Amino acid sequence: MASSRVSSLEGLAKQRRLRNPRSSRVLTSLDPRRFVESLGEPHLLHYALPYFVVLAIAMIFVLQMNRMIGANVLRYFMAGRYHRPIAEERIFLFLDLEKSTNLAERLGSARYFELLRRFVDDLTDPIVASRGEIYQYAGDEVVVTWSLAEGVRDANCVRCFFWSRDAVAREAARYTRDFGTVPRFRAGLHGGTVTAGELGDLRRQIVFVGDILNTAARLEEYAKRAGLDLVVSDSLLSRLELPAGIEARRCGELELRGKEAPVGAYSLSG
């Protein structure tokens, strides 16, 4: 009885090999010629090839969507993380291009746009290296965000600014050649509790709402008026261990536009 079962199994295997003699050995043979020949097999053309084409299109679609709406944002949508508003501890860095109005007037809209695009491209690697996410572009302003834990770790939120400054400085000759100037930017940095959730119907996006964003934007305004590189709230600075070579200088209690109470702040340089 057992021998008859073995015989029938061997017979089935032999039939499969006879129906598809080349593809049955293509993986075990490790022969490139057989692999190329197997590409013409009917079962590959009818079943496997369409499957891999659909898979490739799906992967390209996901990658492009991830680029369009931001790293990790597609994952947030698919997981439904912000389907209902939730409270989060986050850090926001507002980066603003200096003298953007004068640049736009001198360069014209088309060349100014090219300057902005190159500037934003040069910020990409520092933002990724510091584990940040681009929250939004607002004209000549870039807003970067971190979860509080990620932004505080190794002072990522501070490193992002100085790495971005270094990235632009490395391309100074190219900026000067193409635009006659090297872009400079000021920044404000603050963190705390915000409300996060999905907003919109025709165009859905993840939005962060709270006074934390207003304060970070006002600190950036102060940095621009005072000619400072980076201004950070003292509440956030108290959670950070600054990298070597970065110095903090107290700005005092600032009366910021739209804020009832003054905000303690420091200027960082290095």
Side-chain angles (χ1 to χ4, degrees), residues 74-222:
L74 182 61
R75 176 168 57 85
Y76 294 153
F77 278 127
M78 295 177 67
R81 177 174 177 176
Y82 296 109
H83 185 64
R84 295 178 181 275
I86 60 174
E88 280 192 352
E89 294 283 306
R90 298 197 73 87
I91 295 173
F92 290 89
L93 175 69
F94 278 67
L95 290 162
D96 188 70
L97 195 63
E98 188 180 51
K99 299 180 179 178
S100 57
T101 303
N102 293 339
L103 285 172
E105 183 178 2
R106 181 171 66 81
L107 295 174
S109 60
R111 290 186 65 214
Y112 178 65
F113 182 82
E114 287 301 319
L115 173 65
L116 276 180
R117 180 157 60 181
R118 186 176 300 178
F119 173 67
V120 170
D121 287 347
D122 287 339
L123 300 186
T124 300
D125 285 345
I127 292 172
V128 171
S130 62
R131 312 286 291 181
E133 301 174 30
I134 294 177
Y135 172 45
Q136 64 182 17
Y137 302 113
D140 56 1
E141 188 174 69
V142 181
V143 183
V144 187
T145 184
W146 296 260
S147 67
L148 184 65
E150 198 68 71
V152 167
R153 182 180 297 115
D154 297 326
N156 275 328
C157 58
V158 172
R159 293 180 187 273
C160 180
F161 174 85
F162 290 99
W163 286 344
S164 297
R165 190 183 65 178
D166 293 344
V168 172
R170 285 194 296 270
E171 297 297 325
R174 194 158 62 103
Y175 278 110
T176 302
R177 180 195 68 204
D178 295 341
F179 306 107
T181 187
V182 180
R184 289 180 54 83
F185 51 94
R186 314 289 183 179
L189 186 61
H190 186 44
T193 304
V194 297
T195 298
E198 294 180 15
L199 189 66
D201 186 12
L202 292 176
R203 184 180 184 274
R204 188 171 296 273
Q205 64 183 43
I206 295 170
V207 175
F208 300 102
V209 177
D211 187 57
I212 300 302
L213 286 91
N214 296 330
T215 301
R218 301 297 175 260
L219 290 173
E220 176 266 309
E221 285 182 359
Y222 174 80

